């Protein structure tokens, strides 16, 4: 796996985070390279004057944030893992930290934006959210350039740039990536709308709020529903919804374990805020006071033997890449944080072989139930 990005007379050592000893994927892609080369070939740094700055949206692991080390810039992402990667890669490459402001996607965009570099996200909903916020902060002479893999750029992608920014065109493809150029139309007036969606879970009569970048934002995730319907029996007092998304599994735990404290954890700022909104909206204050909401890389940094039940619907991708690294990390962290006798209960697609992974970590694993698509697995930490 290549860790050295050599581009435009710079050499950067870049790691993905969390770092995997057997990592086979590099921390940048050809879309990062295309953006950097275009910026440098067209001397866009010369466009930045006075307090004007560069805005970077959706940087994956810090290739863009680290490369433009000498330029005053703000990087915005919804991913805690991306922010952590950027910070670590900045330190690794001895970048000037005072030149970079890191923000999550729910914070306000900066003023004085002159150049915008965007990595195309997986979903149009999140792209629309970013473009809507951007539209109110740019002027006619702002330069807006986006990049993504060819298979991620569709007519609907370009239509969003046309809707919020202005006339849009694309470049030729290089290394299976393409650039998008949008000319800012200062006269364009787009009515602001709430990109978030809300729908109801009839069984519980819950109204579920979903920010733009929340997994399964348009409907109830069937894996999450299966886990909600198969929570373990028991008298649990400290529960975790690990990788909580919009919070439905943790909310089911709040409802079933009436004396329990439930901690909702996700690496997406939008997911954790959606879980917070949903819990406050659907539970009485006395019960919602027993809920805690944390943006974090799983259970990293949490105390050993501190929980008696961890519920998890693990992701099998990181950004655009299918991987079991996140699930492995979650399972190992869960073992560390469970009390003796504590339980990890997960839902997963049948083909993902989580049973073998849990057996290797816990020494055993029980199949609780299954259907044609999912399995519910339970592993108990023995003393």
């Amino acid at each position: 796996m290549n860790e050295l990005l050599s581009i435009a007379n710079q050499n950067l050592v870049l790691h993905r985070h969390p770092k995997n000893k057997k990592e086979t994927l590099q921390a940048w892609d050809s879309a990062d390279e295309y953006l950097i080369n275009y910026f440098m070939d067209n001397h866009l740094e010369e466009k930045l004057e006075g307090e004007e700055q560069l805005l970077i949206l959706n940087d994956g692991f810090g290739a863009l944030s680290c490369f433009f080390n000498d330029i005053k810039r703000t990087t915005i992402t919804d991913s805690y893992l991306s922010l952590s990667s950027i910070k670590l890669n900045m330190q690794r490459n001895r970048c000037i930290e005072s030149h970079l402001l890191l923000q999550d996607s729910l914070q306000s965009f900066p003023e004085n934006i002159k150049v915008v570099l965007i990595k195309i996200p997986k979903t149009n909903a999140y792209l629309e959210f970013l473009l809507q916020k951007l539209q109110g902060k740019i002027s006619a002479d702002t330069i807006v350039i986006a990049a993504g893999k060819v298979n991620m750029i569709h007519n609907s992608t370009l239509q969003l740039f046309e809707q919020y920014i202005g006339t849009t065109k694309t470049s030729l493809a290089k290394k299976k990536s393409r650039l998008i150029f949008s000319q800012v139309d200062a006269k364009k007036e787009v009515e602001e709308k709430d990109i978030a969606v809300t729908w109801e879970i009839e069984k519980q009569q819950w109204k579920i709020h979903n920010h733009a970048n929340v997994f399964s934002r348009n409907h109830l995730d069937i894996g999450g529903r299966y886990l909600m319907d198969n929570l373990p029996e028991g008298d649990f007092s400290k529960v975790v919804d690990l990788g909580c998304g919009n919070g439905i599994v943790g909310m089911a735990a709040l409802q079933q374990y009436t004396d329990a404290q439930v901690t909702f954890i996700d690496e997406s700022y939008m997911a954790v805020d959606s879980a917070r909104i949903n819990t406050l909206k659907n539970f009485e204050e006395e019960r919602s006071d027993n809920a805690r909401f944390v943006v974090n890389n799983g259970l990293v940094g949490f105390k050993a033997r501190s929980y008696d039940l961890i519920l998890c619907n693990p992701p099998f991708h990181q950004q655009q890449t299918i991987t079991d690294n996140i699930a492995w990390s979650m399972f190992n962290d869960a073992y560390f944080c469970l009390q003796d006798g504590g339980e990890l209960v997960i839902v997963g697609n049948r083909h993902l072989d989580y049973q073998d992974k849990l057996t290797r970590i816990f020494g055993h694993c029980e199949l609780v139930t299954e259907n044609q698509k999912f399995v519910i697995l339970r592993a108990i930490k023995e003393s």
Side-chain angles (χ1 to χ4, degrees):
M1 186 268 300
N2 185 17
E3 296 180 347
L4 181 64
L5 172 60
S6 296
I7 188 169
N9 297 319
Q10 277 200 49
N11 293 315
L12 297 171
V13 178
L14 300 170
H15 294 172
R16 297 171 70 95
H17 181 71
K19 196 171 187 298
N20 180 14
K21 293 179 181 179
K22 298 180 180 179
E23 186 64 77
T24 59
L25 301 169
Q26 64 186 26
W28 71 93
D29 60 19
S30 57
D32 291 304
E33 295 178 11
Y34 210 163
L35 277 173
I36 289 170
N37 282 324
Y38 182 87
F39 188 103
M40 299 305 292
D41 291 345
N42 290 274
H43 307 288
L44 295 188
E45 72 278 6
E46 297 176 3
K47 304 290 186 181
L48 298 165
E49 299 178 353
E51 293 300 312
E52 294 174 335
Q53 65 169 295
L54 169 66
L55 175 63
I56 301 170
L57 298 178
N58 206 38
D59 191 6
F61 298 96
L64 300 175
S65 300
C66 290
F67 181 86
F68 296 107
N69 177 46
D70 294 330
I71 297 174
K72 182 181 179 182
R73 63 212 183 282
T74 297
T75 293
I76 295 176
T77 176
D78 186 51
S79 168
Y80 179 92
L81 289 175
S82 289
L83 287 179
S84 299
S85 294
I86 293 167
K87 290 175 183 177
L88 290 170
N89 283 321
M90 288 278 290
Q91 294 170 5
R92 186 170 287 118
N93 292 280
R94 298 182 180 179
C95 295
I96 305 169
E97 295 186 12
S98 61
H99 285 185
L100 175 65
L101 177 63
L102 289 172
Q103 295 185 183
D104 70 72
S105 55
L106 293 172
Q107 293 177 273
S108 298
F109 279 25
E111 307 291 339
N112 303 318
I113 302 169
K114 183 64 176 185
V115 181
V116 185
L117 301 181
I118 306 171
K119 288 291 296 295
I120 298 296
K122 285 193 306 181
T123 67
N124 273 354
Y126 184 45
L127 177 61
E128 183 173 9
F129 171 85
L130 293 174
L131 293 178
Q132 180 174 267
K133 290 187 73 172
L134 180 63
Q135 197 261 345
K137 297 289 186 177
I138 55 180
S139 58
D141 60 350
T142 306
I143 300 167
V144 179
I145 310 167
K149 291 291 189 179
V150 169
N151 61 5
M152 295 181 61
I153 299 176
H154 310 286
N155 287 336
S156 59
T157 313
L158 303 180
Q159 287 167 4
L160 286 174
F161 280 90
E162 292 269 1
Q163 178 183 348
Y164 286 97
I165 309 299
T167 303
T168 298
K169 61 181 182 179
T170 61
S171 71
L172 297 174
K174 289 184 180 180
K175 296 183 180 180
K176 299 182 180 180
S177 288
R178 195 183 298 277
L179 297 180
I180 297 172
F181 305 98
S182 275
Q183 178 64 48
V184 177
D185 181 355
K187 297 180 181 180
K188 182 177 287 292
E189 294 184 5
V190 183
E191 184 177 350
E192 186 174 348
K193 65 177 182 178
D194 188 357
I195 307 295
V197 296
T198 302
W199 36 261
E200 187 170 331
I201 301 179
E202 294 183 3
K203 182 178 179 180
Q204 284 83 4
Q205 295 186 326
W206 292 340
K207 288 188 176 179
I208 303 299
H209 173 281
N210 301 270
H211 281 308
N213 200 37
V214 175
F215 172 71
S216 193
R217 71 187 293 267
N218 292 313
H219 53 80
L220 177 60
D221 171 54
I222 54 176
R225 161 58 82 187
Y226 197 44
L227 183 54
M228 289 171 66
D229 290 342
N230 289 279
L231 295 181
E233 298 294 329
D235 185 19
F236 300 103
S237 60
K238 290 189 176 181
V239 180
V240 175
D241 181 359
L242 182 57
C244 65
N246 56 22
I248 58 169
V249 171
M251 291 166 62
L254 271 176
Q255 186 177 63
Q256 179 159 324
Y257 312 122
T258 54
D259 295 322
Q261 294 181 333
V262 178
T263 300
F264 297 75
I265 302 174
D266 204 288
E267 72 96 27
S268 162
Y269 290 87
M270 286 190 167
V272 172
D273 194 58
S274 293
R276 180 189 62 80
I277 291 170
N278 291 330
T279 302
L280 295 178
K281 182 187 298 183
N282 291 290
F283 287 83
E284 298 292 336
E285 183 176 350
E286 180 180 353
R287 197 70 195 98
S288 62
D289 282 347
N290 282 330
R292 183 166 69 120
F293 306 92
V294 182
V295 182
N296 197 56
N297 173 19
L299 289 160
V300 172
F302 282 66
K303 293 181 180 179
R305 296 182 172 86
S306 49
Y307 297 98
D308 52 10
L309 176 63
I310 297 175
L311 305 167
C312 185
N313 180 6
F316 51 89
H317 60 268
Q318 185 175 11
Q319 297 178 19
Q320 285 79 28
T321 303
I322 295 175
T323 176
D324 64 357
N325 291 349
I326 302 299
W328 261 113
S329 178
M330 285 178 161
F331 299 162
N332 279 293
D333 291 347
Y335 182 84
F336 178 79
C337 290
L338 280 171
Q339 301 169 0
D340 292 342
E343 302 182 16
L344 170 64
V345 179
I346 74 160
V347 62
N349 291 78
R350 294 173 60 93
H351 69 275
L352 292 175
D353 196 25
Y354 286 150
Q355 192 159 3
D356 177 65
K357 292 177 174 59
L358 291 173
T359 299
R360 290 166 66 181
I361 295 169
F362 285 80
H364 62 92
C365 178
E366 173 192 356
L367 173 64
V368 176
T369 187
E370 62 183 327
N371 61 23
Q372 290 185 336
K373 188 168 184 179
F374 296 104
V375 293
I376 303 287
L377 303 173
R378 178 171 64 178
I380 300 175
K381 183 175 180 179
E382 297 178 347
S383 56

